[in-house]
Amino acid sequence: MRLATHEASGPEGGAQTIFELLTAYHRSLDAMKQWLDEAGLSDVERISIADAWQAEMTDWFREQGYCFACNRPLRRCGCAV
């Protein structure tokens, strides 16, 4: 199950830029915060959902060719993954 939906490509159907990815990330983050604020969940449940969302974001950035941690293209990323 995907916790958030994202566009698979940029406006002209090509790969998304890091700026487009970050814009989508921030929209998703705002939606996640709002949903968590309104949901009747325990702190442990909220943390579990936030962790799963962040793992999904990491995977999604990687699928788009970028590192979630440093926002660089994977070929230029020096992060320990």
Side-chain angles (χ1 to χ4, degrees), residues 27-42:
R27 275 193 219 120
S28 181
L29 177 61
D30 290 343
M32 181 60 67
K33 285 179 181 178
Q34 182 179 1
W35 182 80
L36 286 173
D37 285 345
E38 295 171 358
L41 302 171
S42 70

Side-chain angles (χ1 to χ4, degrees), residues 44-69:
V44 171
E45 290 170 320
R46 290 174 199 270
I47 291 168
S48 296
I49 290 169
D51 284 346
W53 175 81
Q54 187 168 0
E56 180 182 312
M57 290 287 102
T58 301
D59 292 343
W60 183 63
F61 267 64
R62 183 169 293 285
E63 289 168 7
Q64 300 301 315
Y66 289 90
C67 174
F68 181 67

